[in-house]
Amino acid sequence: MTNKVDPPLSIEALRRGDRAEFARLVELYDAYIYRLALRILGNPQDAEDVLQETFIKALKHLPSFDGRSSLSTWLYRIATNEALMLLRKEKGGMISLDEPNPNDDEEQEPIQIVDWCCLPEEMLMNAETKKVLDQAIAQLSPALRVVVVLRDLQGLSTRETSQILKISEESVKTRLSRARLQLRQWLSEYFHQQYGLENLAS
Amino acid sequence: MTAHRPSCREMLGSLSEYLDGELEAELCAAIESHLSECENCRIVVDTLRKTITLYHQHAEEDPQLPAEVRLRLFKRLNLEDFLSHSR
């Protein structure tokens, strides 16, 4: 290992099928792609499958990469599509995958009014709560889950998210809003039950 | 003409953008005016903000790519020889 800064990836070399350059691409992005897949799918084995499929597809399609989006956006798009495909496949099978609110039903629910935001940090971020955070993400419909994962967990911009999902920036914002509101609802219910906080909605 | 003051439910859909600082000034003012008089909505805004913060914090602590997963990936792509150089 050296301390010198690596030169930027050469799109030309990647298009030509240069293996060393492809290895650099994989090494640069494999951790991001793995985390993205893990966050969407919630299962390390599925995440690994998506990781491998993403780079196999990338290798195959690099010669026709047109450079209109950045390489990272392009890779994220492949990975997101792979993850969604896997979710659809699982849903079509016998595996139970909760789909509690396929439509706008959550608009009809009472708004949870539980003042939990000032709970001490050790109550908000302990191992149990982290599990609840993951479970809440898993409860979102895939369309909302993907957006909140890209925006709030992977830290991508609205614009990047819209390019990855090929939907308008307005749709990204709408879905993100619905996802965040649902997560807030579920966390409010959890903290209400866990710590006996008053719920002003009832 | 008085500005339309949103009801609690009407406001909900704009809160995410409000917290991201992406909402136009006029709507921000309408929300803030509502919040100044509605304790329940203040709680909703505070807990929504905290929800987003918790996920940001949670994301920072996520596990790294396990070494064996990377090894299997490089093998699957026939790139093992490049992996050994970089580790």
Side-chain angles (χ1 to χ4, degrees):
Chain A
M1 291 257 279
T2 62
N3 285 328
K4 73 174 170 34
V5 179
D6 292 327
L9 287 166
S10 157
I11 308 274
E12 264 323 295
L14 287 168
R15 282 209 193 104
R16 273 201 314 272
D18 183 308
R19 289 180 66 238
E21 200 65 358
F22 186 66
R24 284 182 61 214
L25 172 81
V26 177
E27 200 170 14
L28 205 55
Y29 290 110
D30 57 0
Y32 290 106
I33 300 292
Y34 179 74
R35 274 199 292 272
L36 169 70
L38 189 57
R39 286 163 173 165
I40 296 175
L41 297 163
N43 170 323
Q45 184 55 57
D46 289 345
E48 186 170 349
D49 288 347
V50 165
L51 174 69
Q52 294 191 358
E53 285 307 313
T54 298
F55 284 106
I56 288 169
K57 286 230 162 87
L59 187 59
K60 190 173 155 199
H61 295 292
L62 263 172
S64 57
F65 173 67
D66 60 14
R68 267 187 299 175
S69 59
S70 69
L71 265 175
S72 60
T73 300
W74 184 72
L75 284 172
Y76 267 40
R77 189 186 306 149
I78 299 175
T80 306
N81 286 340
E82 286 296 317
L84 287 174
M85 228 147 58
L86 203 60
L87 276 182
R88 272 184 220 119
K89 217 187 282 175
E90 286 182 356
K91 228 172 74 175
M94 295 301 288
I95 300 158
S96 128
L97 199 100
D98 290 338
E99 184 85 60
N101 280 316
N103 300 312
D104 285 21
D105 295 346
E106 80 269 16
E107 308 280 302
Q108 307 308 318
E109 287 174 24
I111 304 166
Q112 301 291 325
I113 317 265
V114 181
D115 195 2
W116 54 267
C117 73
C118 301
L119 284 171
E121 202 60 17
E122 60 269 25
M123 285 180 166
L124 288 175
M125 263 319 228
N126 55 35
E128 167 81 20
T129 314
K130 286 176 193 168
K131 230 189 283 173
V132 172
L133 292 178
D134 287 335
Q135 285 165 357
I137 289 277
Q139 275 187 74
L140 290 171
S141 70
L144 299 190
R145 196 188 315 162
V146 165
V147 171
V148 84
V149 165
L150 290 169
R151 287 282 286 111
D152 281 339
L153 296 172
Q154 301 289 111
L156 299 181
S157 67
T158 301
R159 191 186 156 83
E160 286 167 313
T161 305
S162 83
Q163 288 173 345
I164 289 165
L165 298 175
K166 292 197 167 172
I167 58 176
S168 68
E169 292 190 29
E170 271 319 299
S171 298
V172 171
K173 288 180 186 175
T174 308
R175 289 194 204 180
L176 181 65
S177 165
R178 290 180 52 207
R180 285 168 164 179
L181 288 171
Q182 282 200 0
L183 295 171
R184 191 206 70 88
Q185 284 279 95
W186 292 327
L187 291 185
S188 297
E189 282 168 31
Y190 169 74
F191 287 123
H192 163 64
Q193 284 172 11
Q194 185 73 1
Y195 299 120
L197 298 176
E198 191 184 2
N199 189 347
L200 301 170
S202 46
Chain B
M1 201 167 79
T2 50
H4 171 66
R5 182 167 292 178
S7 72
C8 300
R9 278 213 182 263
E10 276 175 334
M11 232 180 53
L12 267 188
S14 306
L15 292 182
S16 169
E17 277 185 78
Y18 171 71
L19 290 175
D20 283 341
E22 291 175 353
L23 211 56
E24 44 199 280
E26 201 181 323
L27 275 171
C28 281
I31 286 178
E32 276 154 16
S33 155
H34 179 116
L35 289 179
S36 69
E37 292 172 6
C38 183
E39 171 66 13
N40 281 2
C41 282
R42 272 206 298 276
I43 293 176
V44 171
V45 170
D46 287 345
T47 49
L48 184 63
R49 185 187 289 114
K50 195 71 188 179
T51 298
I52 299 166
T53 308
L54 285 186
Y55 276 102
H56 287 172
Q57 285 175 343
H58 188 44
E60 282 168 19
E61 296 172 5
D62 254 19
Q64 297 303 303
L65 176 71
E68 65 273 17
V69 174
R70 175 174 269 181
L71 180 66
R72 287 194 289 270
L73 172 66
F74 273 69
K75 278 189 175 160
R76 179 92 195 268
L77 298 166
N78 293 321
L79 293 172
E80 304 102 294
D81 38 343
F82 294 101
L83 183 67
S84 56
H85 289 306
S86 62
R87 285 273 124 184

